[in-house]
Amino acid sequence: MNFVTDTHPLLWWFTDSPKISSKASEIFEKCEKGENVIFVPSIVIAEALSIFDKKRIAFDFKNLFRKINDSENFVIIALDYPILQKMVDLKDISELHDKIIVSTAKYLNLPVITKDELIQNLFSVKTVW
């Protein structure tokens, strides 16, 4: 199965954080085994870099970026015209990062791995936590 990930679940998976839910952990584990594909919006990578730069979570950004880039089961999705078109129609979210993540999920027609309650409460996108 395929999914789109929000920033924190991705970081929590790569840092072995107890904050990640068991369901999300299972999805990431299956991804690493080649059973799932997780699409990573480019804004998630940018946000991870920002978190790294601000030292809000201790992790090796270059290693995380390399692992994602080298994996066939993690796919980075660029912010491009079709996703921007989805953003224009998405009125329920004002925060830019979340709007891009949800628009990516809507464009790909996939659920979002997220703990974010605002995203979870949207009727226009499926979520997993």
Side-chain angles (χ1 to χ4, degrees):
M1 191 163 176
N2 299 336
F3 300 87
V4 171
T5 188
D6 197 352
T7 307
H8 284 98
L10 180 73
L11 291 178
W12 291 338
W13 170 254
F14 278 105
T15 60
D16 295 320
S17 173
K19 294 180 180 180
I20 193 167
S21 72
S22 59
K23 180 66 176 169
S25 184
E26 180 182 318
I27 292 168
F28 280 96
E29 188 175 308
K30 285 184 176 182
C31 178
E32 294 214 350
K33 290 179 180 177
E35 298 172 26
N36 287 338
V37 174
I38 296 178
F39 291 90
V40 183
S42 55
I43 193 69
V44 167
I45 300 298
E47 194 171 13
L49 177 58
S50 176
I51 290 168
F52 172 76
D53 285 344
K54 293 176 183 173
K55 307 211 182 315
R56 290 178 27 206
I57 297 178
F59 68 98
D60 182 342
F61 177 80
K62 288 182 182 179
N63 184 44
L64 175 136
F65 191 50
R66 187 178 347 90
K67 278 184 169 180
I68 291 170
N69 191 51
D70 292 348
S71 173
E72 292 181 16
N73 297 315
F74 285 99
V75 178
I76 298 174
I77 300 295
L79 174 58
D80 60 5
Y81 187 76
I83 294 170
L84 289 166
Q85 283 182 305
K86 293 288 183 190
M87 288 176 64
V88 170
D89 296 331
L90 187 61
K91 305 294 184 205
D92 300 337
I93 299 176
S94 60
E95 202 278 320
L96 182 63
H97 298 99
D98 291 345
K99 187 173 269 216
I100 294 169
I101 292 164
V102 170
S103 294
T104 302
K106 289 175 69 79
Y107 173 70
L108 296 172
N109 195 27
L110 296 174
V112 180
I113 306 166
T114 187
K115 185 180 180 181
D116 188 314
E117 290 182 8
L118 177 68
I119 296 173
Q120 289 177 349
N121 291 328
L122 292 175
F123 293 109
S124 61
V125 67
K126 292 180 183 177
T127 61
V128 178
W129 186 245

